[in-house]
Amino acid sequence: MKRRDFLTGLGSAAIGLPLVLDGFTTRAFAESPTLKHVAALAAAQDRVLVLIQLSGGNDGINTLIPLDQLSTYYRIRQAVAIPENRIVKLNDATGLHPRFAPIKSLFDDGNLAIVNGVSYPTVNQSHFRSTDIWFTASESDQYLSSGWLGRFVNYEAPNFPTGYPNDKNPDPLAIEIGGAMSLTLQGNTNAMGMTIRDLSAFEQLVSGQASTGGSVAQRTGKAGNRIDFIRDVQAQSQKYSTRIRAVADKGRNKAQYPDKGKNPLADQLQIVARLIAGGLQTRVYVVNLGGFDTHWDQAVPTDLTTGIHANLLGYLAEGMKTFQQDLKLLGLENRVLGMTISEFGRRPATSSLGTDHGTAGPMFLFGAPVRGGIIGKNPSLTDLLPDNNLKMQYDFRQLYTSVLSQWFQADTQHLNTVMMKSFEQLPLLTTTSVNEPQNAFGGASGMVIRNYPNPCAGTTNIEYTLPQSGMVRLTLHDALGREIATIGSGYQSEGKQSVTFDASALAQGAYFYRLQTERGMISGQMNVVR
Amino acid sequence: MALMDAYTGTLDEQRAKHLLRRATFAPTTDNIKTFTGRSATTAVTILLAATPAPSAPLDPTTNEQWHNKPYNREKDATYNEYLKSWWTGLMFNDGTSLREKMTLFWHNLLVSSYPAVQDARYLYRQNALLRRFAFGNVRTLLKEITIDPAMLRYLNGNTNTKAAINENYGRELQELFTIGKGAEVSAGNYTNYTEQDVRAAARVLTGWADVAENATSRFIPENHVTEDKQFSAAYQNTVIRGRSGADGAQETDELLDMIFRQPETARFFCRKLYVWFVGTEIDATIEREVIGELASTLRGSNWEIKPVLELLFKSQHFFDAANMGAMVKNPIDLVVSTAQYFSKYFTPAIPSQVDDLAGYFNAMKWLWQSADAQEMGILNHPNVAGWKAYYQTPQLDRLWINAATLASRNDFTDKLFAGFTVATKQGMTRFAVNSIAFTRDVCTNPANGDDLVDKLSIDLTGVALTQAQKLYLMDEVLAPGFFNARGAWDMNWSFYISDPSNAAKRQAVQSRIDNVLKFVLQMPETHLV
C-alpha cells in the first residue's frame, strides 16, 4: 500500500484532533505505535525541504575556521587566511569567516546543525562528475541517470506525469528555482520537478498560452519521443500555472529581504517562502548559488576578508538568516528544513590567490526542526589523504538518508529505493524516523533499543525488548555505516534482552549498533569518549 | 550499406530543409528552393565556402573600433553587449554558410564567459579566433586557445606559476576540451588520463599570462617549472622535458601534440560534432560506424576539420529520416533562424548596419536577450562544460524545454507578430511581421484555407504535420467557431482582396493568419530541428 493512498481522507488534520480511525478514537490508541506512525506520516506530508546547491566547490576551511589549528592554517593558507582578529568565534574550536558570521544567531538559537568533513569515498575532482555524484547519490564509480530527490518523489508518484495534477497532488511535486532542471529532480524516466525562474515573469508568460496539441498525432522515434515530451511539459505547465499564480498572489513575505538583484540566493529563497506561505503543497525546492570555484581571487590580497568567497558567504548567511526570519514571522518555521550541498571542498593548501579542488567540506542544515550543534570534529589540516586533501568523516548519503527518514518519514522500502543501500543515520533533527527509531522512540515495530551508560568509555549494556522469539543479529557500525563487528547473533526469546559490550578498544567518536530481527531492524547510537 | 556512405541522389525538399536547418541559420523558403534538386556535394560545397573575415565591431556612438584600444572600464560592459549584437548579426546574416554554426560550436566547446573574463576586447579576440578556425585545423586551434588571453583568464592559466600551481586549465583541457574523461578505473585514473596528468599538464603550462595592455598573451620564463614532467601510462609514460628561458613555451606545444597523439582525442571531437549537428544520443552502432569513421578521417587529414564536416553532411546517415526533427532546437537557433525566416517581412524593415548601426545592434540585442531568457546566453555559459543540453543525460536536448523556458520561447515567437519594440534612430520603434505579405509570397491561393494553413506551416515545423493537425489549424485556429469554416475564411479573404486599403477588412484576415503562425510556432513539432 502506498503511503499517499494510506493517508487519503486523513490529511494533515490528523494531528491533535479527535480523529476516528477504524472506529476507535485516538485516545484508545494513545500509546499505540501505529497511531504515532500515522500521525508522524501525516505531519511529514506538510514538511518542506529546501536544498541549496553551492556550485563550484565551497572552501569549507575558510567558512568554518579551525581555531585549534591556527598555526597550520596561517602557514598553508597564506593566500586566503582570515586574520585572527577578524575571525568570529562560533565556539572554542570553530571560528567563522566574518562575512558568514550572521549565521551565529541561527546557531545560538539551535536552528543550525553543522556536519563536518562530509564527502564520499574516492572523490572525483571533476566539477561535473562530482556534482552528478551528489545529485544522484551514486558511488564514485557508479553512473546513475536519476537524482535522489527525483527518485524520492517518484516513489510516491510512480505514474507521474500521467494523471497529474490531481485532487491529492494539486501542486508540482518539486520546484527548482532558476534555469534548467538539475539532475537532482530527475526521476526514473521523467523530470519530477517544475522550473520557475521569476514569479512575475512566470505569471505573465504562462497565462494565456494556447494548448498546442491540436489533435494528437502519434509519432515514433526520436522526434516522436520529443514531441511527447514537449506536449507533457506544456500540459503540466498549463495545469500548474493557474494554481501557482493563485498561490503566489496569496503568499506574502513578512521579513525584509535584500533588494532584488543584491543577493541571488535571497531572491530565490524569497520566492520559496512566498509559495509556501501561499499554501503550495510542494515538498521539495531546489535553489542554487554559484561561483564557489575560487581558484583565483578567492580573497583580495589587501584585505583577505573580502573578495569572491567573502561575497558568496555573505549571500549564503544573509539568505539563510532572512529566510529563517521570514518563516518564523509566517508561522512556518516548524515545517521547513534547509540543507546546503556542494560538490566538494577545497584543498587545504592554497595556490596563488585561491584554492584548488578538494574533497570533504561542511554541510549545513538549518531551520527550527534541526538538532542544533556540530557533528564531527574540525577537519585536520595535517592528517591528510595522500593527495593532500581532507579526510572524510561522514558520507553525504548518510545526511540524505537521515533527512528522508527523519524529516520525510520515508520507510525502509522507500529509503532502499532512493538510496539503494543502507546508510547509518545521524541525529540531525528533533523529529525522529519511523523506520529506524532513535533511542527511546517506539517505531512501527514497537521495539526500542538503547545502551547504558551512553556516552561510554568501558563496558556498556545494550538493551532491547523483542516482541517475539526468533533469530537476531546485533552488529556495530562506524560513523560511515561500515560494519565493524558482530556483537552477537543467534536465537533469542521474546521479552527484554541485554547484551554487555566492551567499548574500551574503540577510538573516540560516534558508533551505531543495529539489531536485525524477523520483525524488522532498529538501531541506536553509541558515543564513545576517552 | 555503411552509415557513412555518401548520399548520392539529389536533395528533395525534406533533405534540403534538414541540411539547412542543421547547418545554417537560414532555412528560408528561398534557400530551401535553391537547395532542392541539388546534389549533396554541391550543397556542402556552398556550406563550406570560404567567407571573408568580418570587420571588428564598432561602437555605434563613435563609429570606431574598440577592440584595439586600451581597456575602458566605464564602457566595457557596453562593449560586451555590442560584441554580442555584432555576433548575433553575423549569425543572422550568415545565409547558407556553416561558418557561424561552427563558431558557436567552438564557443560551446572552448567556453569563456564575460562575467569571468571581464574584458570585451579579450572575448572579441577569442570569438575571431574561433571563427578563423570554423573549418580549420583542430590541433592548431587548441594550441591557440590554450594561450588565448580570454581563456588564460577564464580558467586561471594566467595565475599558474611555479610558485603556485593552478590546475584549473590543465584539468579542463583534458576533461572537457580534448580527450575527455573515460571510466574511473581506480582512484584518480579516468582511463584517458589521471590526476597525475592533470598535475603534470598544469606544470607544463606554467608561465603563461595575459597582457591587458593590448589584450594578448605572453610567456614569462621565470614563472615556468623547468623540471621534467612525467605523464602516466595513459599517455605512454611520456616525459615532457623541462626547458628554461623562452623555450619553456615549447612544452605547451609538446603537451598538445602528446594529447593529439591519442586515438581517443579524435573520437572526442567527432562525438562533439555529432551531438551538435546530428543527434544528442550516441548508441553503440553510431559510436562504431559513425564516430569511428569520422575520427579516422580527422586523423587522416592531420586534424583538418573540413573533410570531417564534408563526410558528415554528405552521409546517408545524416539524411536518415530518423534523424530529421530528432533534436529540440536550441534557443539561439530558434530566435535567429525564426527571425531570419521572416526577415523580409518585418514592418518597418530591420535597420541596416550602414544607416543605423545602433538600431541594428538593438534589434540584434532583442534576439540574444530572447535566447538568454530561454537559458542560452552567448558569452555567458553557466559553466566551463557548456550548455547542459549537450552533455547532461538523460534529458540532453530536452533540457531546453521546461515550464519557464517554454513560456519564454512562446513569448518570443508571439512577439514576432504582436510586435517588439527597440530603439532606432527614429526613436522607439515597433517591429512586427507583415503576415499578409508573407502569405502572398508562400501561398498562391490564400482563399483556400486548407492550402493556406499548409503553406504557412510547411517550412516551420521540424516534423511534417499530420492531415488531422492541418484540419485542426483550419477549423479551430484559422476560422474557429464557424459552422462552415472554409466558406467563412474564403469570404473574409475576398472582402479583403476587393478592398485592400480597408483597415478593418485587412485586420480581420491578418489577425487570423497571425493566430495560425503563432499557434504553429508553439507546436511541439516546431520546437524540433
Side-chain angles (χ1 to χ4, degrees):
Chain A
M1 183 160 59
K2 299 289 179 310
R3 173 176 319 142
R4 257 180 212 286
D5 299 339
F6 181 51
L7 285 170
T8 304
L10 192 61
S12 56
I15 313 291
L17 291 179
L19 128 99
V20 176
L21 185 70
D22 290 342
F24 296 94
T25 65
T26 53
R27 227 166 293 281
F29 273 101
E31 296 306 316
S32 154
T34 308
L35 184 71
K36 276 190 183 166
H37 183 102
V38 169
L41 285 178
Q45 296 300 309
D46 279 345
R47 290 181 184 165
V48 174
L49 172 67
V50 181
L51 188 71
I52 302 177
Q53 191 206 349
L54 309 178
S55 304
N58 178 36
D59 183 12
I61 303 169
N62 254 32
T63 308
L64 301 177
I65 299 160
L67 299 179
D68 52 354
Q69 302 166 68
L70 279 183
S71 62
T72 310
Y73 176 76
Y74 289 115
R75 183 164 48 77
I76 66 173
R77 304 211 115 212
Q78 288 166 12
V80 301
I82 302 298
E84 193 164 0
N85 62 355
R86 300 294 302 279
I87 297 174
V88 176
K89 230 177 154 183
L90 185 66
N91 63 22
D92 287 345
T94 305
L96 300 173
H97 188 292
R99 293 290 294 280
F100 198 50
I103 61 110
K104 184 168 178 357
S105 64
L106 284 178
F107 186 80
D108 292 342
D109 293 344
N111 288 335
L112 180 69
I114 296 168
V115 185
N116 276 317
V118 185
S119 184
Y120 55 91
T122 320
V123 171
N124 191 307
Q125 289 184 15
S126 152
H127 286 291
F128 311 104
R129 177 65 193 136
S130 198
T131 302
D132 286 354
I133 289 168
W134 277 78
F135 281 171
T136 61
S138 71
E139 303 287 346
S140 186
D141 58 356
Q142 178 189 22
Y143 289 80
L144 296 176
S145 57
S146 60
W148 70 288
L149 287 171
R151 291 194 298 273
F152 168 70
V153 173
N154 210 163
Y155 180 86
E156 295 184 335
N159 297 324
F160 183 87
T162 307
Y164 285 81
N166 53 45
D167 290 346
K168 278 186 278 179
N169 296 280
D171 297 329
L173 302 175
I175 285 179
E176 179 149 353
I177 310 287
M181 179 82 63
S182 68
L183 199 48
T184 320
L185 296 178
Q186 174 68 33
N188 298 320
T189 52
N190 290 90
M192 301 302 293
M194 178 164 180
T195 310
I196 294 179
R197 187 167 27 224
D198 171 281
L199 282 179
S200 57
F202 182 80
E203 289 163 42
Q204 198 185 339
L205 293 179
V206 173
S207 60
Q209 299 296 329
S211 162
T212 59
S215 59
V216 176
Q218 294 302 325
R219 289 199 178 85
T220 53
K222 292 176 184 171
N225 160 293
R226 281 153 179 82
I227 288 171
D228 290 347
F229 170 76
I230 296 170
R231 205 170 268 144
D232 281 348
V233 175
Q234 284 175 334
Q236 293 296 318
S237 52
Q238 279 159 28
K239 287 182 205 161
Y240 286 129
S241 64
T242 319
R243 167 82 179 148
I244 290 179
R245 220 165 28 242
V247 164
D249 278 349
K250 210 167 106 193
R252 287 284 172 271
N253 298 105
K254 290 196 171 171
Q256 185 67 43
Y257 285 84
D259 288 343
K260 206 167 176 189
K262 297 284 184 210
N263 177 336
L265 178 65
D267 287 351
Q268 299 173 61
L269 291 173
Q270 183 173 12
I271 294 175
V272 172
R274 185 169 159 198
L275 292 175
I276 301 171
L280 205 69
Q281 293 175 32
T282 299
R283 296 198 296 162
V284 174
Y285 294 85
V286 179
V287 300
N288 191 306
L289 179 63
F292 284 89
D293 192 21
T294 46
H295 287 278
W296 181 249
D297 276 354
Q298 175 165 339
V300 176
T302 49
D303 179 358
L304 293 175
T305 65
T306 62
I308 294 173
H309 192 238
N311 292 340
L312 291 170
L313 289 178
Y315 294 150
L316 179 60
E318 183 183 42
M320 283 162 60
K321 195 174 167 179
T322 313
F323 183 60
Q324 195 55 33
Q325 278 168 354
D326 201 12
L327 294 174
K328 191 166 185 180
L329 292 168
L330 290 162
L332 296 169
E333 56 177 343
N334 291 322
R335 280 184 48 208
V336 183
L337 172 69
M339 177 164 79
T340 66
I341 62 167
S342 194
E343 65 261 37
F344 38 62
R346 304 196 80 80
R347 212 163 296 174
T350 52
S351 68
S352 45
L353 287 183
T355 46
D356 277 326
H357 302 179
T359 50
M363 269 175 81
F364 301 100
L365 282 91
F366 66 99
V370 304
R371 199 185 286 271
I374 300 179
I375 294 180
K377 48 190 192 307
N378 283 341
S380 170
L381 302 184
T382 48
D383 179 19
L384 299 170
L385 294 168
D387 64 348
N388 293 323
N389 272 308
L390 299 180
K391 287 187 172 172
M392 169 172 88
Q393 299 180 54
Y394 299 99
D395 191 307
F396 70 96
R397 292 166 294 181
Q398 291 182 265
L399 283 87
Y400 287 1
T401 303
S402 306
V403 166
L404 294 178
S405 169
Q406 294 163 35
W407 188 234
F408 286 133
Q409 306 287 308
D411 60 24
T412 307
Q413 191 190 342
H414 195 169
L415 283 182
N416 289 342
T417 307
V418 176
M419 302 304 300
M420 285 161 296
K421 58 185 253 194
S422 169
F423 292 93
E424 209 61 65
Q425 295 184 33
L426 300 174
L428 294 172
L429 304 181
T430 52
T431 52
T432 43
S433 63
V434 169
N435 60 316
E436 296 199 37
Q438 298 299 319
N439 292 344
F441 177 80
S445 63
M447 293 191 295
V448 172
I449 191 164
R450 59 163 67 91
N451 68 306
Y452 179 83
N454 190 19
C456 57
T459 59
T460 185
N461 295 307
I462 302 172
E463 298 172 355
Y464 48 91
T465 303
L466 292 176
Q468 67 182 52
S469 306
M471 295 301 291
V472 301
R473 183 163 180 266
L474 182 62
T475 48
L476 184 72
H477 302 256
D478 67 10
L480 300 178
R482 292 177 296 219
E483 184 174 317
I484 51 178
T486 300
I487 300 170
S489 68
Y491 183 88
Q492 283 190 316
S493 312
E494 178 181 342
K496 194 173 172 189
Q497 299 288 346
S498 177
V499 177
T500 304
F501 174 70
D502 184 356
S504 53
L506 296 177
Q508 173 160 324
Y511 296 84
F512 298 88
Y513 43 88
R514 174 187 284 179
L515 180 72
Q516 184 72 48
T517 76
E518 290 163 10
R519 286 275 294 268
M521 185 183 70
I522 54 172
S523 64
Q525 182 178 342
M526 172 192 306
N527 295 307
V528 176
V529 290
R530 288 282 165 257
Chain B
M1 183 178 67
L3 295 179
M4 293 313 282
D5 284 356
Y7 173 75
T8 51
T10 54
L11 302 182
D12 59 8
E13 201 176 289
Q14 268 323 105
R15 290 184 175 85
K17 281 183 195 177
H18 179 60
L19 182 60
L20 284 162
R21 283 174 183 151
R22 293 294 178 91
T24 78
F25 287 108
T28 61
T29 306
D30 289 347
N31 289 336
I32 293 166
K33 280 192 191 122
T34 308
F35 270 51
T36 303
R38 294 187 181 237
S39 69
T41 303
T42 310
V44 172
T45 304
I46 296 172
L47 297 178
L48 286 164
T51 48
S55 53
L58 301 178
D59 175 345
T61 64
T62 61
N63 267 323
E64 288 179 4
Q65 294 183 341
W66 42 265
H67 71 286
N68 47 8
K69 296 199 167 62
Y71 175 69
N72 184 330
R73 181 183 297 273
E74 284 70 38
K75 293 203 73 172
D76 196 64
T78 310
Y79 290 159
N80 181 50
E81 295 207 336
Y82 295 155
L83 173 60
K84 292 202 268 191
S85 298
W86 172 83
W87 185 14
T88 305
L90 291 175
M91 294 189 235
F92 185 71
N93 294 312
D94 202 33
T96 52
S97 173
L98 176 63
R99 187 185 73 185
E100 294 305 320
K101 275 210 166 155
M102 273 306 292
T103 306
L104 189 62
F105 165 79
W106 290 127
H107 176 52
N108 189 43
L109 181 67
L110 307 170
V111 170
S112 292
S113 75
Y114 183 75
V117 174
Q118 291 287 328
D119 191 329
R121 301 172 309 157
Y122 281 46
L123 287 167
Y124 164 71
R125 282 184 54 104
Q126 187 181 80
N127 189 254
L129 170 68
L130 301 179
R131 182 168 297 101
R132 203 159 67 242
F133 281 86
F135 314 143
N137 188 289
V138 188
R139 187 174 55 191
T140 314
L141 171 59
L142 264 293
K143 287 182 179 179
E144 298 255 349
I145 203 79
T146 297
I147 59 170
D148 169 69
M151 186 59 80
L152 286 171
R153 276 200 185 173
Y154 183 64
L155 288 179
N156 314 118
N158 62 347
T159 76
N160 182 25
T161 65
K162 70 177 175 193
I165 304 287
N166 189 313
E167 295 175 359
N168 207 8
Y169 187 79
R171 178 183 304 281
E172 307 304 12
L173 171 67
Q174 296 174 80
E175 180 178 342
L176 298 173
F177 293 175
T178 56
I179 194 165
K181 191 177 226 174
E184 185 169 9
V185 287
S186 63
N189 180 349
Y190 314 115
T191 307
N192 301 334
Y193 64 95
T194 68
E195 285 292 327
Q196 178 194 344
D197 299 321
V198 170
R199 289 191 292 273
R203 285 153 55 82
V204 166
L205 293 163
T206 46
W208 290 102
D210 60 305
V211 183
E213 196 182 324
N214 54 2
T216 56
S217 56
R218 68 182 176 122
F219 183 75
I220 305 171
E222 303 81 67
N223 288 342
H224 183 65
V225 175
T226 55
E227 285 88 39
D228 291 353
K229 289 84 182 174
Q230 172 74 56
F231 288 81
S232 76
Y235 290 115
Q236 302 81 40
N237 300 306
T238 300
V239 175
I240 292 185
R241 193 164 59 80
R243 297 164 194 263
S244 54
D247 287 353
Q250 288 176 29
E251 293 176 37
T252 297
D253 276 359
E254 291 172 26
L255 170 68
L256 271 304
D257 288 340
M258 177 190 80
I259 296 172
F260 276 82
R261 275 197 299 275
Q262 313 306 317
E264 187 57 28
T265 301
R267 301 186 81 95
F268 173 89
F269 286 108
C270 294
R271 273 184 220 116
K272 295 286 178 185
L273 282 170
Y274 187 89
V275 163
W276 188 254
F277 285 115
V278 187
T280 51
E281 289 149 332
I282 296 182
D283 61 22
T285 308
I286 293 169
E287 178 68 38
R288 193 176 58 245
E289 296 192 24
V290 180
I291 305 302
E293 186 91 357
L294 292 172
S296 79
T297 302
L298 184 57
R299 302 187 76 194
S301 72
N302 200 24
W303 301 97
E304 289 296 329
I305 203 139
K306 196 170 171 179
V308 178
L309 294 168
E310 286 169 342
L311 175 64
L312 180 65
F313 286 119
K314 288 183 199 173
S315 69
Q316 295 187 2
H317 179 67
F318 176 77
F319 288 109
D320 186 340
N323 287 325
M324 296 184 181
M327 281 201 286
V328 174
K329 200 182 288 178
N330 75 45
I332 299 275
D333 202 4
L334 173 75
V335 300
V336 175
S337 297
T338 311
Q340 175 56 226
Y341 183 79
F342 292 108
S343 62
K344 286 201 300 189
Y345 307 102
F346 281 114
T347 307
I350 302 291
S352 88
Q353 304 188 54
V354 182
D355 294 343
D356 180 6
L357 183 60
Y360 168 79
F361 272 1
N362 286 336
M364 294 303 114
K365 181 178 174 180
W366 182 69
L367 294 181
W368 60 255
Q369 281 184 324
S370 298
D372 278 3
Q374 300 163 29
E375 300 296 333
M376 191 180 188
I378 50 172
L379 305 178
N380 194 20
H381 278 94
N383 61 48
V384 59
W387 291 297
K388 279 187 188 171
Y390 294 100
Y391 67 89
Q392 181 75 71
T393 56
Q395 292 240 47
L396 293 167
D397 53 300
R398 284 166 287 249
L399 277 169
W400 292 126
I401 304 282
N402 60 47
T405 57
L406 194 59
S408 300
R409 290 166 81 103
N410 294 345
D411 184 55
F412 167 78
T413 53
D414 278 2
K415 284 205 171 97
L416 293 173
F417 305 95
F420 59 95
T421 303
V422 300
T424 70
K425 67 180 183 186
Q426 268 82 39
M428 292 307 285
T429 308
R430 185 176 162 279
F431 296 88
V433 172
N434 178 342
S435 61
I436 291 192
F438 169 71
T439 299
R440 298 284 216 163
D441 273 1
V442 297
C443 183
T444 50
N445 182 19
N448 178 332
D450 291 297
D451 191 42
L452 174 66
V453 297
D454 181 52
K455 295 297 194 303
L456 292 179
S457 61
I458 194 157
D459 290 342
L460 290 172
T461 60
V463 174
L465 299 182
T466 62
Q467 191 53 33
Q469 285 178 306
K470 290 178 194 169
L471 289 173
Y472 183 90
L473 287 176
M474 169 66 232
D475 292 326
E476 303 298 332
V477 185
L478 182 66
F482 289 97
F483 175 69
N484 177 359
R486 284 161 189 76
W489 170 256
D490 183 338
M491 189 173 67
N492 274 284
W493 182 260
S494 39
F495 286 164
Y496 160 65
I497 291 299
S498 61
D499 188 7
S501 57
N502 183 308
K505 290 176 184 170
R506 181 191 169 88
Q507 179 60 24
V509 291
Q510 180 161 1
S511 65
R512 284 175 165 79
I513 293 171
D514 283 355
N515 283 346
V516 172
L517 288 169
K518 285 195 271 188
F519 191 99
V520 168
L521 285 163
Q522 290 192 14
M523 293 179 81
E525 286 80 355
T526 310
H527 290 288
L528 302 185
V529 65

